[in-house]
Amino acid sequence: MRKSADKTQNHRTRKGLHREIMRKVMNEQDAARPKTVGIVEDDDSLVRILRKHLKVEGYRTAVMQSPEETIDRVLGRELDMLLIDLALPGCDGVEIARSVREISPIPIVIITGRGEIDARVGCLDAGADDYLTKPFDPRELSARLRAIFRRVEANPGRPQNGLFTWRLSACRLLPLGRQLVGNNHKVVRLTEVEYLTLEFMLQQLGSPVSREELSFRATGRHWEPPDRRIDVHIARIRRKLAMLGERKLTVRAVRSVGYIAEGIAHKLRTETDGPPPAG
């Protein structure tokens, strides 16, 4: 019996090592290939400027002018990033972002000519990772894209010493695909920023975390008032947890500080499976 158990354990270890090697190879291949930026824009002059600048920066580009074409490209896994104009004829850039976010965690940057706070919050609330207000310097766009791609490559949801998942009372937070999976198997996808924000708060469970630290950890950007990006991301995280019936983990505001996650959360290796935590 002892030899059989050791043999089974060794087999599982080899399978886990093989999966980790394959993931590393795939990640290296992804990092080596040129990134493709999808541009959802009807202004031909702006498209030409964007394509020329992004080509110089080493990106490939693909131009789309309809929600249907955008969804098809995203489903076909042809894109690494989306730039979406907020004001498109016959459709709303926010609605396109919202539709994309329902099916994919692909990073989204919205380009808007409206600088008021409600418009910017609306972009983030729709699932965008960032926004740019017209007119903008193409160099700023490049800097934003580099920052997002650095986060994607440096934080694929996998700690250096292994692959982990977080088990809550009503769902699990999975690093692969950046998604919440309920005990009833319902799947709710998170954006990259939402995933990194929630994961960091779970790591600091029971301790207040400042907006400054959340912003830097999740977006690589320093927070300054009256920036409400983090508040919007937290609100979306709360809604998504509620969609899965999660009641034993709460994320609440701490006056003059930031936020605190309180409740039940256990960190497990992704290969580990078992019943939800008691309590």
Side-chain angles (χ1 to χ4, degrees):
M1 289 292 291
R2 175 69 179 176
K3 289 183 178 180
S4 177
D6 290 344
K7 186 176 181 180
T8 300
Q9 181 61 39
N10 289 337
H11 177 68
R12 288 176 177 171
T13 301
R14 286 195 300 272
K15 282 184 67 178
L17 181 60
H18 176 72
R19 281 197 296 268
E20 191 61 33
I21 291 172
M22 290 304 297
R23 289 187 193 111
K24 184 176 181 179
V25 169
M26 292 176 67
N27 286 339
E28 289 175 349
Q29 290 174 343
D30 285 344
R33 68 177 177 82
K35 303 295 185 186
T36 300
V37 178
I39 303 171
V40 188
E41 173 63 68
D42 68 305
D43 184 336
D44 291 338
S45 61
L46 180 55
V47 168
R48 284 194 296 270
I49 292 171
L50 291 174
R51 296 192 73 173
K52 181 178 179 180
H53 183 77
L54 291 173
K55 182 179 180 179
V56 171
E57 293 289 316
Y59 298 109
R60 294 175 178 170
T61 56
V63 180
M64 294 142 287
Q65 295 185 339
S66 72
E68 295 77 16
E69 186 181 4
T70 304
I71 295 297
D72 286 345
R73 292 288 187 99
V74 171
L75 288 174
R77 297 175 181 259
E78 301 176 29
L79 309 172
D80 300 289
M81 170 85 70
L82 268 179
L83 301 180
I84 304 176
D85 194 338
L86 183 64
L88 295 167
C91 59
D92 184 351
V94 167
E95 288 305 316
I96 295 177
R98 187 172 286 117
S99 298
V100 168
R101 186 54 70 227
E102 290 176 357
I103 62 170
S104 172
I106 183 173
I108 297 173
V109 176
I110 289 184
I111 300 172
T112 173
R114 298 161 57 189
E116 58 268 25
I117 185 65
D118 287 345
R120 300 199 301 269
V121 169
C123 295
L124 297 172
D125 204 29
D129 296 275
D130 208 342
Y131 59 82
L132 273 173
T133 304
K134 299 178 186 177
F136 58 86
D137 189 316
R139 292 174 298 178
E140 181 182 5
L141 170 63
S142 295
R144 299 282 182 94
L145 299 193
R146 286 195 298 270
I148 291 174
F149 282 131
R150 280 198 301 270
R151 295 200 305 269
V152 171
E153 291 164 4
N155 298 282
R158 182 172 61 255
Q160 292 182 352
N161 61 343
L163 192 63
F164 290 94
T165 185
W166 287 89
R167 184 179 290 280
L168 313 181
S169 67
C171 61
R172 289 175 295 162
L173 174 65
L174 303 183
L176 293 180
R178 297 195 296 270
Q179 56 193 358
L180 290 164
V181 180
N183 293 341
N184 61 356
H185 305 297
K186 180 179 179 180
V187 176
V188 176
R189 292 186 179 276
L190 301 175
T191 67
E192 178 206 356
V193 174
E194 289 168 359
Y195 174 83
L196 294 175
T197 299
L198 180 55
E199 183 192 43
F200 182 64
M201 295 203 69
L202 293 176
Q203 292 171 352
Q204 308 299 320
L205 192 69
S207 300
V209 182
S210 69
R211 286 180 176 83
E212 291 89 341
E213 189 164 15
L214 279 173
S215 179
F216 186 75
R217 291 274 184 165
T219 71
R221 298 171 63 171
H222 294 286
W223 176 86
E224 292 182 2
D227 191 340
R228 292 184 56 199
R229 288 183 178 88
I230 288 299
D231 303 281
V232 172
H233 293 309
I234 292 291
R236 289 212 307 260
I237 290 169
R238 285 169 169 163
R239 285 201 298 270
K240 291 180 178 182
L241 289 170
M243 289 169 61
L244 297 174
E246 181 57 56
R247 295 185 177 86
K248 294 185 178 179
L249 178 82
T250 60
V251 179
R252 65 178 180 84
V254 179
R255 187 177 178 86
S256 301
V257 179
Y259 290 92
I260 185 171
E262 297 175 308
I264 296 174
H266 297 309
K267 185 178 182 180
L268 308 170
R269 284 194 178 273
T270 295
E271 289 79 10
T272 303
D273 202 1

